[in-house]
Amino acid sequence: MSLRRQGTTLFSAMLALVAAAVVLQLWLLTVSMEALLSGSYKALIPAAAGSTVLLLINAGLLRYVFRFDRDAHGE
Amino acid sequence: MKTQDEARGAASSKDKAAPKWRQDFPIEWEGDHYVTRREMVKFLTLGSLLLASANWATVVASRLVRRGSHVERYIGSAASLEQAGSMLFRYPTDSDPCIAVRTPEGKLVAYSQVCTHLSCAVVYDKAENGLFCPCHHGLFNLAGQPVAGPPTRPLPRVRLEQRGDQIFAVGMDVL
């Protein structure tokens, strides 16, 4: 199996993970907006921290994509 | 490892050997899937960055709102409140309606007039001894807690100070 074909399969799986994380972030943002508008600010910082953790996970996966891409070009 | 020039040279010689349609459509299905998925991961990560930034923006916005709710404002005289049973005023800004009530125990309380269900204006209901929302028949007790109808969150409380006959709003608490 060529590295590119492996990459296609790998990126499909990563795409599913990243998309799930983005959906979670969207949900966190709607929760934050509702909390902000209703004046209950306690949930805002945990929601923002959770969103940042998801962003870091996504950034880690993206870093892996870049690395893999570099290796695939060098093949 | 091939240098870039070598790779480019190999690609151009391959193109020359390929038929015309291949020159017009040089990307294989496999390559196409590879590139589109890779680009989609990049695009979604950028979206993720924007969403995380928006989440932190709500934290900053909440700090700004909180800072603005500590202003002191004269809302009326105690005599007029005793006469009417309740008093409407605006706090902390002119677009925030609030209601002050003297409880049967003689305590002075005030809350945001905006119902936490769908933002209708609540009114003082002497018979129910609470704040009634006429839109969907929600009822809050005089501690600001929802006791009937659709509202589930308490009303934001306005902190009051009575100085002689004058009543001042001095801050807002979210219960």
Side-chain angles (χ1 to χ4, degrees):
Chain A
M1 200 185 208
S2 76
L3 200 56
R4 274 212 150 193
R5 187 168 289 178
Q6 281 179 36
T8 306
T9 314
L10 192 69
F11 291 171
S12 299
M14 281 164 83
L15 197 56
L17 282 174
V18 173
V22 168
V23 168
L24 271 174
Q25 281 187 301
L26 266 172
W27 176 73
L28 284 170
L29 183 62
T30 52
V31 168
S32 296
M33 284 307 292
E34 196 179 333
L36 178 70
L37 294 175
S38 67
S40 47
Y41 305 133
K42 279 181 211 161
L44 294 182
I45 290 181
S51 190
T52 307
V53 169
L54 290 168
L55 168 66
L56 291 176
I57 291 170
N58 285 348
L61 289 172
L62 184 66
R63 192 165 160 256
Y64 185 76
V65 168
F66 278 121
R67 272 189 181 179
F68 189 94
D69 207 30
R70 209 172 45 211
D71 292 346
H73 275 293
E75 193 187 28
Chain B
M1 197 174 154
K2 285 175 189 171
T3 63
Q4 279 190 337
D5 288 338
E6 279 171 342
R8 224 174 278 145
S12 63
S13 61
K14 199 178 169 186
D15 285 347
K16 275 172 199 165
K20 176 80 173 67
W21 65 268
R22 169 55 80 194
Q23 287 171 31
D24 292 337
F25 302 99
I27 300 169
E28 299 275 354
W29 266 118
E30 191 194 316
D32 185 58
H33 288 320
Y34 179 89
V35 172
T36 51
R37 278 158 182 70
R38 184 192 64 194
E39 292 305 308
M40 191 64 183
V41 171
K42 287 182 190 175
F43 175 75
L44 280 182
T45 308
L46 181 65
S48 173
L49 175 69
L50 292 175
L51 286 169
S53 309
N55 246 317
W56 283 108
T58 61
V59 175
V60 174
S62 74
R63 295 289 152 105
L64 295 175
V65 171
R66 221 180 277 182
R67 196 177 295 164
S69 65
H70 287 284
V71 289
E72 191 175 294
R73 199 171 208 189
Y74 171 72
I75 61 164
S77 69
S80 63
L81 176 63
E82 307 304 335
Q83 214 172 23
S86 67
M87 182 168 64
L88 300 181
F89 62 99
R90 305 258 164 180
Y91 185 82
T93 69
D94 284 338
S95 50
D96 301 309
C98 298
I99 183 166
V101 178
R102 178 76 75 183
T103 65
E105 297 82 38
K107 207 176 149 197
L108 186 60
V109 290
Y111 298 97
S112 165
Q113 214 192 350
V114 181
C115 179
T116 53
H117 174 225
L118 285 177
S119 302
C120 289
V122 296
V123 291
Y124 178 50
D125 188 330
K126 214 168 188 176
E128 294 283 353
N129 195 30
L131 297 166
F132 178 69
C133 178
C135 289
H136 303 98
H137 293 220
L139 185 69
F140 298 86
N141 63 18
L142 289 182
Q145 298 294 331
V147 288
T152 53
R153 291 191 305 269
L155 290 169
R157 183 174 56 204
V158 181
R159 274 182 276 123
L160 297 178
E161 267 182 33
Q162 190 171 347
R163 297 170 199 158
D165 188 47
Q166 295 180 325
I167 303 171
F168 291 87
V170 293
M172 239 170 153
D173 296 324
V174 176
L175 300 175

